[in-house]
């Protein structure tokens, strides 16, 4: 895409959703960190169902450590990889207590030192909790970046760095959310719903999927 097309791409997404937010439910930076760590290979819906009751009992590192790994597993057993995730949540909670006074660090390198926390999780926490202009590339953003031609790349890191290069300043804070939501609900993995995509005329994907019978096609360049 040209610079003008990239700007228009984001402008339309921003106009449709001026205040995008993560669909994970969180109370404070710590609960966001836990929720994102639990969301690996799981849906936000499944994580929210588990963390609702969990965060009523443990919304800080000390309470989580006191809860313990065994009881934590009971709360999150409906989430994939719950055994390893429970272990990591207890370990990272203890590390927060031991090294950071129970506070979640705002530095990416410090976040990535925590057990079970990778670059994607760190970027989400920095963006949502601390207002950093980071872009966490999950499967949705990786797909949208490559499929549309917005930011092609062979790896999530390549796509992340490409997005950092091309995303205009006014859209950097919300870019992460707009792209995830677009990939989750419109630019879907198996069959993108091009017929209702507001940026399809800017997108390199071909052939565009037609509307199903009875559906109304949106005007992409409105």
């Amino acid at each position: 895409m040209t610079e003008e097309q990239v700007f228009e791409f984001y402008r339309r997404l921003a106009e449709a959703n001026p205040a995008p937010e993560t669909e994970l439910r969180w109370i404070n930076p710590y609960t966001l960190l836990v929720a994102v760590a639990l969301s690996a290979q799981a849906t936000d819906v499944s994580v929210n169902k588990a963390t609702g009751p969990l965060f009523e009992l443990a919304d800080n590192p000390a309470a989580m450590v006191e809860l313990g790994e065994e009881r934590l597993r009971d709360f999150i057993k409906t989430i994939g990889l719950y055994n390893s995730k429970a272990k990591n949540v207890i370990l990272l909670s203890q590390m927060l207590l031991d090294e950071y006074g129970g506070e979640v660090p705002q530095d990416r390198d410090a976040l990535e030192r925590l057990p079970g926390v990778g670059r994607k999780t760190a970027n989400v926490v920095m963006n949502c909790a601390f207002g950093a202009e980071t872009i966490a590339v999950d499967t949705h953003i990786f797909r949208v970046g490559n499929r549309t031609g917005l930011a092609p790349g062979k790896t999530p890191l390549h796509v992340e760095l490409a997005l950092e290069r091309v995303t205009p300043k006014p859209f950097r804070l919300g870019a992460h959310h707009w792209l995830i939501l677009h990939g989750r609900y419109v630019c879907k993995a198996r069959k993108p719903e091009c017929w209702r995509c507001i940026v399809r005329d800017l997108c390199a994907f071909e052939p565009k999927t037609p509307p199903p019978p009875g559906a109304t096609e949106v005007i992409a360049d409105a």
Side-chain angles (χ1 to χ4, degrees):
M1 293 187 192
T2 64
E3 288 186 15
E4 292 76 13
Q5 288 174 320
V6 170
F7 189 95
E8 179 63 11
F9 186 99
Y10 280 114
R11 187 198 66 76
R12 293 184 196 174
L13 295 180
E15 184 177 55
N17 185 6
E21 297 179 347
T22 177
E23 294 187 321
L24 288 171
R25 296 174 189 160
W26 56 288
I27 303 166
N28 52 37
Y30 172 73
T31 55
L32 175 63
L33 173 63
V34 172
V36 179
L38 294 176
S39 71
Q41 300 183 45
T43 66
D44 288 359
V45 172
S46 67
V47 172
N48 289 337
K49 286 182 179 179
T51 56
L54 171 63
F55 291 157
E56 289 182 4
L57 289 180
D59 64 357
N60 61 80
M64 191 68 75
V65 170
E66 184 178 352
L67 183 70
E69 185 177 335
E70 184 176 351
R71 291 183 66 195
L72 174 56
R73 281 200 301 267
D74 289 336
F75 278 99
I76 66 172
K77 60 186 177 183
T78 56
I79 302 175
L81 307 175
Y82 69 93
N83 283 314
S84 59
K85 289 177 179 178
K87 180 179 180 180
N88 283 333
V89 167
I90 297 300
L91 288 174
L92 74 82
S93 299
Q94 188 63 60
M95 188 170 174
L96 289 176
L97 292 170
D98 293 342
E99 299 189 24
Y100 300 101
E103 299 295 323
V104 176
Q106 300 186 30
D107 175 74
R108 180 189 284 128
D109 290 338
L111 285 166
E112 288 191 64
R113 289 185 59 237
L114 299 171
V117 176
R119 186 180 181 91
K120 184 187 77 171
T121 296
N123 280 341
V124 173
V125 172
M126 291 171 64
N127 179 268
C128 298
F130 304 122
E133 295 177 347
T134 52
I135 300 176
V137 178
D138 67 350
T139 56
H140 297 300
I141 292 185
F142 184 78
R143 179 173 66 254
V144 171
N146 279 285
R147 180 185 276 168
T148 65
L150 177 66
K154 293 183 178 180
T155 68
L157 181 57
H158 289 159
V159 171
E160 178 187 335
L161 297 178
L163 286 169
E164 288 182 350
R165 287 195 302 271
V166 304
T167 301
K169 178 68 175 177
F171 306 113
R172 286 181 179 271
L173 185 61
H176 162 80
H177 303 291
W178 285 314
L179 297 176
I180 282 181
L181 295 172
H182 190 66
R184 182 174 292 163
Y185 296 113
V186 180
C187 197
K188 300 177 180 179
R190 292 188 178 182
K191 189 176 183 181
E193 297 182 0
C194 303
W195 54 275
R196 66 182 193 89
C197 175
I198 60 175
V199 293
R200 70 173 182 270
D201 58 312
L202 305 171
C203 170
F205 178 73
E206 295 292 348
K208 301 291 194 290
T209 54
T216 301
E217 189 169 6
V218 302
I219 300 175
D221 59 352

